[in-house]
Amino acid sequence: MAWWKRSKTQMAVEEATEAQSEVPLAVEETAAAMAVPTITAAEPVDEEPILVVESVERTFQVGGSPLHVLKGINMELHPTSLVMLRGRSGSGKTTLLNMIGGLDQPTKGHIFFRGMPFHAMNDDDRTIVRRKQMGFIFQAFALMPLLSAYENVELSLRMAGVPSSQWKERVTHCLDLVGLSKRMHHRPFELSGGEQQRVAIAKAIAHKPRLLLADEPTAELDSQMSAQIMAVFRTIIQTEQVTICMTTHDPTILEVADHVYEMVDGKFI
Ligand SMILES: Nc1ncnc2c1ncn2[C@@H]1O[C@H](COP(=O)(O)OP(=O)(O)OP(=O)(O)O)[C@@H](O)[C@H]1O
């Protein structure tokens, strides 16, 4: 993984770590500022796309010259769908995923998440939306090594400002959904790669995000574990009414997708 990509992932982990250290002191204040999400039964499925990407371009300045990475991307994510971005290394998949998740902004074009203009919002506003309504899964799991599976999942509820009275039921439910009820007190090093990735999924969905973004979530796993992860994705789409957008290199899992966008050199073909 290139340095700048590590730094994106690292950025998100640092954000989580920072939030972890802030939360016990300021959870009520944070919760109030973010209009505490009360966890209730799944809301009815929206008909409108949850995400719209219109004519998005992204150019980086590299050594004083422009590098055009995304060259006019249009896409829609519909509620409770599983969408895959496929393409060669360097084609621009992670760059697009970072923009959908509000970690980066387009040079040109528009991104609307649930009608909100992500392309025009400032970092702080995008961060609030991201923490409340999105979940992220990375190739390298991004779990806190000293915390148990249970505590890792609980952490994301703290970060989202969910009242502590709801934590136990929700953590148990999410670990159950990913098939890890019997491993909830294990720490990451006591779990297999596939189990760690399932904890990462439980952690990413605990606060009931509407959109789950996953950057090559099966890259570190063998084919059997990858199939298990895809089965878990299908389960949570049904039970949690979440929409999933993921990148992949793996042709064997494409058939599980509702829609595959094939990216070549910064464009969909
Ligand atoms: N912050 C940045 N600064 C400079 N160049 C960048 C930056 N981010 C991405 N790029 C360039 O954009 C291109 C696309 O990168 P991106 O990570 O989006 O590809 P990818 O399809 O996700 O690749 P992989 O499958 O290897 O993860 C690469 O050539 C990369 O060098």
Side-chain angles (χ1 to χ4, degrees), residues 50-68:
I50 187 165
L51 185 106
V52 178
V53 175
E54 281 176 0
S55 310
V56 160
E57 298 181 21
R58 181 66 170 105
T59 303
F60 295 106
Q61 290 299 322
V62 180
S65 310
L67 177 68
H68 302 292

Side-chain angles (χ1 to χ4, degrees), residues 4-5 60 62 67 69 88-95 216 249:
W4 43 263
K5 243 191 249 183
F60 295 106
V62 180
L67 177 68
V69 173
R88 285 193 178 169
S89 181
S91 57
K93 303 180 298 294
T94 302
T95 303
E216 305 217 19
H249 275 117

Side-chain angles (χ1 to χ4, degrees), residues 98-166:
N98 286 338
M99 247 165 288
I100 293 173
L103 293 164
D104 189 13
Q105 280 189 300
T107 313
K108 277 192 193 160
H110 304 126
I111 297 181
F112 295 95
F113 172 65
R114 305 188 80 199
M116 290 177 275
F118 251 28
H119 55 279
M121 287 162 62
N122 66 30
D123 279 356
D124 290 350
D125 290 342
R126 290 201 315 273
T127 299
I128 290 172
V129 173
R130 193 163 61 234
R131 283 198 186 155
K132 278 185 64 182
Q133 303 195 38
M134 292 185 176
F136 291 85
I137 297 170
F138 300 105
Q139 179 176 338
F141 318 138
L143 299 175
M144 299 289 169
L146 298 180
L147 301 185
S148 67
Y150 184 99
E151 291 162 337
N152 262 286
V153 179
E154 191 182 74
L155 174 61
S156 75
L157 295 177
R158 285 173 180 255
M159 283 173 53
V162 174
S164 57
S165 57
Q166 297 182 26

